[in-house]
């Protein structure tokens, strides 16, 4: 428990107290307060103390313990049950850390005032002052001197090189020395001393990370089984008074206090924060989880003759009960998320051919006019049913722009009177209208505005897309082409907007890297654009292929589909591994869907000679990279999927050196600064059906 609690403290950042305004902190502290009050009022009726034990301090300590949460266990359960990426999962984990830290610190303070070894008698003023002094020294050493030693060791042992044994021994010996000050000279509890030392020690750097990983592994592989073996021997289940209803009353009463107090606190704080009562109750139940530390305290209580063995066993059983219902709570969360999430596939692959294509086409300014018009031209498909384009200006809401906002007939109707914004929008409108007046058959245009700060602009775009029921959002790349043909560093704010939209969009998304797409007007009488679709496999590549089907209808575009196929030849070990990886059931199912989708596209467009087709047989991602390099300069537009592939051998490892992960491995290579300066790239991500929530693989929101 010493090493476990040290690492628990090392993983917790005490700076979270600086953010107590957070909703997670409010829920955590309200839950601690209500549970503590409920436990303090009811635990005296449990008749927990044995013999001449001072009952008031023991009951107060028990109330604090019942109010706490086992945050490491809670985090592991949330992750294993696959809601770690959801809003409620992240919320509960953060609230659990707040709860665990504040409750354990309260236990640390209580150990200074009361002596658990001496049946919870009050300590003398001299003993309290000695303990406080040594704890202050421990805290100062951990917070001030430890970083100096750790930083020196980290500098002398950079990442990638073996750590010198003497330096490692020095660091560990110093940690042990810091942890031993209060227990040796003042009799303070060694477990709590290790926790305090871990809390105030730096958690950055190679030494701290090594300690966390090594101790966690050691604890999970060796100490944890030994710990529960010790629990089994000390618990002595045969002495649990199963025939006495008082024993069962203590068990369920303790469980009721632990869960009821948390649920009540979460519900009250949820009312203040505007949460749905379902979410508040689920949060309270999850925050009631107890773990190793609570089992340890329950057993130690009987070992030190503070309680009877039967009472300690009841507490251990109550601790296990707080974990048993967790899968049911998580299952209910996922079930409610499925009901509240849209189930309609807003993607090109599932678009009814008789329905018009609705596109939310975003622009940053007049520099995007030419690429926007050519995109509309090649995307219109058949004149009937045509394409409906919502041309949306993405305007950052600055203080200057906010001062020019004017409310019209209602608070929901706002117009911008800033001259710069008005001029920019007018230029975009005139430029696109000029094109539509010449060649606008099958295109219906409507103007929209996304006016927001960069931190919340993704919400405006997603809400627009959902309200307008579009199947595709097109975003301009955050980098723009300079006169020399290269892409500049771009606007980092719009890059973050794009990445957030990729995570939260209610439909398919495309990021357009413009490197001359609008340089020439795409004619309908002669071929003026050579485009290529890279098809490797996966849902995003299938979406890119579905979009390419519309591009193939334009007479001014010569489209080529290049399919990368896996070829594992020979009897070498690497070839056998490649074959084994590609023969998993998941891969086989994904390949079956890919083949069906590609066969349909081939019959529609390739068989009639409308689209050219090329196959490339490759063995690994290295050959994929070299093949992409070999076709540089042959095409003016590449259409690729962002990712969505299942363990593809042809792209494995590429994500390790991506410059722009939002473009995916293939899109990142084609958009690199050292690639062709004339090849534009459209990277497409297919809409993930939120109704198919499976847990960890999907981010979902229900709060």
């Amino acid at each position: 428990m010493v090493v476990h609690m040290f690492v628990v403290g090392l993983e917790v950042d005490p700076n979270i107290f600086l953010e107590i305004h957070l909703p997670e902190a409010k829920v955590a502290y309200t839950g601690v307060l209500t549970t503590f009050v409920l436990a303090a009022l009811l635990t005296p009726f449990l008749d927990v103390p044995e013999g001449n034990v001072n009952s008031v301090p023991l009951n107060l300590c028990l109330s604090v313990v019942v109010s706490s949460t086992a945050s490491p266990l809670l985090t592991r359960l949330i992750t294993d049950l696959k809601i770690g990426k959801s809003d409620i999962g992240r919320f509960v984990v953060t609230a659990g850390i707040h709860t665990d830290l504040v409750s354990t610190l309260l236990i640390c303070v209580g150990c200074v005032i009361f002596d658990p070894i001496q049946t919870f008698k009050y300590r003398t003023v001299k003993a309290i002052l000695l303990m406080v002094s040594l704890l202050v020294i421990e805290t100062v050493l951990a917070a001030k001197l430890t970083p100096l030693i750790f930083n020196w060791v980290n500098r002398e042992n950079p990442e990638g090189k073996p750590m010198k044994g003497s330096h490692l021994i020095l660091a560990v010996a110093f940690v042990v020395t810091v942890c031993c000050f209060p227990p040796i000279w003042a009799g303070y509890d060694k477990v709590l001393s290790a926790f305090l030392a871990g809390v105030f020690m730096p958690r950055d750097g190679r030494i701290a990370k090594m300690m966390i990983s090594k101790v966690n592994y050691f604890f999970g592989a060796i100490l944890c089984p030994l710990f529960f073996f010790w629990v089994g021997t000390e618990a002595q289940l045969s002495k649990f008074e199963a025939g006495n209803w008082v024993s069962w009353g203590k068990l369920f009463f303790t469980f009721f206090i632990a869960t009821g107090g948390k649920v009540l606190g979460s519900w009250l704080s949820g009312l203040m924060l505007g949460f749905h009562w379902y979410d508040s109750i689920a949060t309270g139940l999850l925050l009631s989880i107890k773990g190793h530390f609570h089992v340890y305290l329950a057993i130690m209580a009987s070992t030190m003759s503070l309680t009877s063995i039967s009472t300690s066993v009841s507490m251990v059983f109550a601790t296990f009960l707080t974990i048993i219902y967790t899968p049911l709570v998580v299952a209910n969360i996922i079930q409610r998320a499925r009901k509240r999430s849209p189930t309609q596939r807003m993607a090109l692959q599932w678009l009814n051919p008789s329905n018009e294509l609705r596109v939310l086409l975003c622009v940053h300014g007049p520099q995007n006019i030419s690429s926007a018009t050519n995109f509309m031209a090649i995307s219109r498909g058949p004149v009937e049913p045509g394409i409906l384009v919502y041309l949306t200006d993405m305007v950052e809401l600055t203080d200057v722009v906010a001062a020019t906002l004017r409310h019209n007939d209602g608070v929901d109707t706002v117009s911008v009177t800033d001259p710069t914004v008005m001029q920019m929008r007018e230029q975009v409108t005139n430029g696109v209208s000029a094109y539509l007046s010449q060649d606008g058959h099958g295109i219906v245009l409507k103007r929209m505005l996304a006016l927001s700060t960069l931190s919340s602009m993704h919400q405006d775009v997603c809400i627009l897309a959902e309200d307008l029921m579009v199947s595709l959002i097109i975003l301009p790349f955050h980098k723009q082409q300079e006169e020399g043909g290269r892409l500049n560093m771009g606007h980092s704010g719009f890059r973050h907007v794009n990445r957030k939209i990729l995570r939260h969009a209610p439909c398919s998304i495309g990021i357009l890297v413009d490197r001359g797409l609008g340089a020439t007007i795409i004619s309908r009488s002669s071929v003026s654009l050579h485009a290529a679709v890279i098809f490797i496999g996966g849902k995003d590549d299938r979406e890119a292929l579905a979009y390419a089907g519309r591009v193939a209808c334009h007479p001014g575009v010569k489209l080529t589909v290049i399919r990368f196929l896996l070829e594992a030849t020979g009897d070498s070990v690497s070839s056998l591994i490649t074959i084994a990886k590609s023969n998993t059931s998941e891969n086989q199912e994904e390949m079956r869907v890919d083949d069906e989708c590609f066969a349909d596209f081939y019959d529609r467009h390739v068989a009639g000679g409308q689209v050219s087709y090329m196959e490339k047989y490759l063995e690994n991602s290295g050959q994929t990279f070299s093949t992409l390099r070999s076709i540089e300069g042959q095409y003016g537009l590449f259409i690729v999927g962002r990712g969505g592939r299942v363990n593809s051998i042809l792209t494995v490892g590429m994500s390790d050196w991506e410059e722009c992960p939002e473009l995916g491995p293939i899109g990142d290579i084609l958009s690199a600064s050292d690639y062709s300066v004339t090849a534009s790239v459209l990277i497409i991500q297919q809409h993930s059906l939120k109704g198919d929530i499976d847990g960890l693989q999907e981010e979902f929101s229900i709060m």
Side-chain angles (χ1 to χ4, degrees):
M1 288 307 301
V2 169
V3 294
H4 173 64
M5 291 302 293
F6 172 74
V7 170
V8 170
L10 197 59
E11 291 179 323
V12 174
D13 187 358
N15 291 325
I16 63 174
F17 286 129
L18 303 177
E19 303 175 350
I20 57 176
H21 62 281
L22 294 176
E24 295 90 336
K26 295 178 181 178
V27 171
Y29 301 150
T30 305
V32 170
L33 180 61
T34 54
T35 309
F36 176 80
V37 172
L38 186 64
L41 294 175
L42 298 180
T43 48
F45 299 101
L46 294 179
D47 193 23
V48 173
E50 286 286 312
N52 60 347
V53 177
N54 196 342
S55 60
V56 174
L58 178 59
N59 287 330
L60 289 177
C61 182
L62 178 60
S63 300
V64 175
V65 172
V66 170
S67 304
S68 63
T69 300
S71 61
L73 181 60
L74 176 63
T75 303
R76 172 61 66 87
L77 288 173
I78 291 294
T79 304
D80 290 347
L81 294 174
K82 300 183 178 181
I83 62 169
K85 290 185 178 181
S86 66
D87 58 346
I88 192 171
R90 293 191 295 265
F91 185 92
V92 169
V93 167
T94 305
I97 293 174
H98 278 275
T99 303
D100 201 8
L101 181 57
V102 70
S103 58
T104 309
L105 288 178
L106 288 175
I107 296 175
C108 294
V109 173
C111 191
V112 173
I113 302 174
F114 313 115
D115 187 357
I117 305 297
Q118 300 295 328
T119 63
F120 274 88
K121 291 181 179 179
Y122 292 94
R123 297 185 190 272
T124 63
V125 176
K126 181 180 179 181
I128 292 177
L129 292 178
L130 177 61
M131 275 193 179
V132 171
S133 301
L134 290 175
L135 287 175
V136 170
I137 294 175
E138 179 185 46
T139 302
V140 172
L141 289 176
K144 300 300 181 181
L145 186 58
T146 306
L148 300 178
I149 295 178
F150 277 19
N151 291 336
W152 178 79
V153 174
N154 290 330
R155 286 195 303 269
E156 294 294 320
N157 300 270
E159 293 285 353
K161 292 185 177 180
M163 180 168 290
K164 296 179 181 178
S166 58
H167 292 173
L168 181 60
I169 292 174
L170 172 65
V172 175
F174 178 77
V175 170
V176 173
T177 303
V178 171
C179 294
C180 287
F181 269 102
I184 291 179
W185 284 282
Y188 191 73
D189 187 86
K190 51 187 174 294
V191 175
L192 298 179
S193 176
F195 173 78
L196 290 175
V199 166
F200 293 102
M201 279 188 180
R203 53 204 40 82
D204 299 324
R206 187 178 182 186
I207 287 289
K209 293 177 182 177
M210 178 180 293
M211 285 184 178
I212 293 174
S213 62
K214 297 297 183 184
V215 172
N216 278 335
Y217 173 78
F218 191 64
F219 185 82
I222 300 176
L223 294 184
C224 197
L226 291 176
F227 170 75
F228 282 106
F229 179 79
W230 171 79
V231 170
T233 57
E234 293 290 333
Q236 300 181 43
L237 300 182
S238 60
K239 293 187 178 182
F240 177 68
E241 300 171 0
N244 188 352
W245 66 270
V246 176
S247 300
W248 294 101
K250 290 180 180 180
L251 192 162
F252 291 108
F253 209 49
T254 305
F255 174 75
F256 166 76
I257 294 174
T259 56
K262 289 293 185 186
V263 170
L264 178 61
S266 298
W267 178 71
L268 290 176
S269 56
L271 284 179
M272 294 185 290
L273 296 171
F275 293 162
H276 196 280
W277 68 273
Y278 277 145
D279 301 327
S280 298
I281 291 178
T283 301
L285 290 174
L286 292 174
L287 290 178
S288 303
I289 289 177
K290 306 294 184 285
H292 304 86
F293 186 52
H294 305 87
V295 174
Y296 168 78
L297 293 179
I299 298 299
M300 290 303 297
S302 65
T303 303
M304 294 187 298
S305 301
L306 299 175
T307 64
S308 66
I309 295 179
S310 180
T311 301
S312 293
V313 173
S314 298
M315 293 179 181
V316 173
F317 285 162
T319 300
F320 292 154
L321 286 179
T322 62
I323 304 173
I324 291 175
Y325 60 76
T326 304
L328 300 177
V329 176
V330 173
N332 179 262
I333 290 173
I334 295 178
Q335 184 180 8
R336 287 189 291 115
R338 283 182 175 144
K339 291 180 179 179
R340 295 178 58 179
S341 299
T343 56
Q344 182 179 358
R345 294 181 186 267
M346 301 303 292
L348 302 179
Q349 186 180 354
W350 314 107
L351 182 66
N352 190 328
S354 62
N355 296 336
E356 65 181 355
L357 172 62
R358 293 170 172 255
V359 178
L360 188 71
L361 180 57
C362 299
V363 295
H364 293 161
Q367 67 272 18
N368 301 131
I369 293 177
S370 56
S371 60
T373 54
N374 276 345
F375 173 82
M376 289 189 291
I378 65 176
S379 306
R380 81 181 83 193
V383 177
E384 293 295 336
I387 182 175
L388 173 58
V389 178
Y390 294 96
L391 189 61
T392 305
D393 299 296
M394 302 175 71
V395 179
E396 180 182 3
L397 181 60
T398 61
D399 294 337
V400 175
V401 176
T404 65
L405 295 181
R406 184 178 63 192
H407 297 282
N408 297 329
D409 296 334
V411 294
D412 295 330
T413 306
V414 179
S415 59
V416 183
T417 59
D418 181 77
T420 304
V421 176
M422 293 177 64
Q423 182 181 4
M424 181 273 293
R425 297 202 71 202
E426 185 177 358
Q427 288 180 358
V428 173
T429 302
N430 293 338
V432 177
S433 298
Y435 164 75
L436 294 179
S437 63
Q438 299 176 3
D439 187 17
H441 300 292
I443 302 176
V444 178
L445 181 71
K446 295 186 179 182
R447 295 287 278 122
M448 307 299 293
L449 174 64
L451 177 64
S452 178
T453 60
L454 293 180
S455 61
S456 59
M457 184 172 289
H458 70 284
Q459 298 176 350
D460 285 8
V461 174
C462 291
I463 291 173
L464 267 178
E466 189 170 4
D467 293 343
L468 300 174
M469 299 182 65
V470 301
S471 298
L472 181 64
I473 299 174
I474 297 297
L475 303 170
F477 192 42
H478 70 280
K479 297 182 181 181
Q480 297 179 12
Q481 192 174 31
E482 298 176 334
E483 292 184 2
R486 301 295 181 181
L487 297 175
N488 58 21
M489 295 301 296
H491 195 304
S492 60
F494 281 114
R495 181 187 184 185
H496 292 302
V497 171
N498 289 355
R499 298 176 77 167
K500 290 178 180 178
I501 294 175
L502 285 168
R503 291 196 298 268
H504 301 288
C507 61
S508 294
I509 313 121
I511 296 180
L512 179 59
V513 182
D514 179 22
R515 287 192 293 206
L517 178 62
T520 57
I521 298 177
I522 300 179
S523 171
R524 298 187 64 86
S525 58
S526 60
V527 174
S528 52
L529 176 66
H530 291 263
V533 184
I534 307 296
F535 186 87
I536 299 177
K539 60 187 183 69
D540 292 349
D541 282 16
R542 295 194 292 268
E543 187 73 356
L545 200 64
Y547 171 76
R550 303 188 67 89
V551 177
C553 298
H554 196 289
V557 179
K558 179 175 177 56
L559 182 66
T560 301
V561 177
I562 307 175
R563 187 175 189 185
F564 290 4
L565 296 170
L566 179 64
E567 180 182 35
T569 59
D571 297 330
S572 64
V573 175
S574 59
S575 297
L576 295 176
I577 293 175
T578 299
I579 296 173
K581 287 183 177 180
S582 61
N583 282 337
T584 63
S585 58
E586 191 177 12
N587 263 342
Q588 292 294 329
E589 176 62 22
E590 191 75 3
M591 291 169 59
R592 184 189 64 80
V593 178
D594 289 340
D595 290 340
E596 290 180 357
C597 179
F598 197 87
D600 180 68
F601 180 88
Y602 191 95
D603 293 338
R604 288 171 178 255
H605 305 288
V606 179
Q610 191 178 12
V611 175
S612 301
Y613 176 56
M614 186 186 307
E615 288 183 353
K616 299 285 186 180
Y617 287 91
L618 312 173
E619 296 184 11
N620 50 51
S621 57
Q623 292 188 6
T624 301
F625 179 81
S626 59
T627 302
L628 293 174
R629 283 293 185 180
S630 67
I631 59 177
E632 179 180 357
Q634 300 181 24
Y635 303 97
L637 174 65
F638 287 99
I639 303 171
V640 300
R642 178 172 180 248
R645 306 175 185 92
V646 180
N647 300 324
S648 177
I649 307 299
L650 301 182
T651 57
V652 66
M654 286 185 172
S655 58
D656 296 340
W657 38 270
E658 288 175 342
E659 181 182 356
C660 297
E662 64 270 24
L663 302 181
I666 304 300
D668 186 73
I669 293 173
L670 298 175
S671 305
S673 57
D674 58 347
Y675 201 76
S676 171
V677 297
T678 60
S680 300
V681 188
L682 178 62
I683 301 96
I684 296 181
Q685 173 184 282
Q686 187 178 72
H687 174 225
S688 295
L689 182 60
K690 299 303 181 183
D692 286 344
I693 289 173
D694 190 30
L696 185 64
Q697 290 76 20
E698 299 288 346
E699 295 185 9
F700 59 89
S701 302
I702 65 170
M703 298 186 73

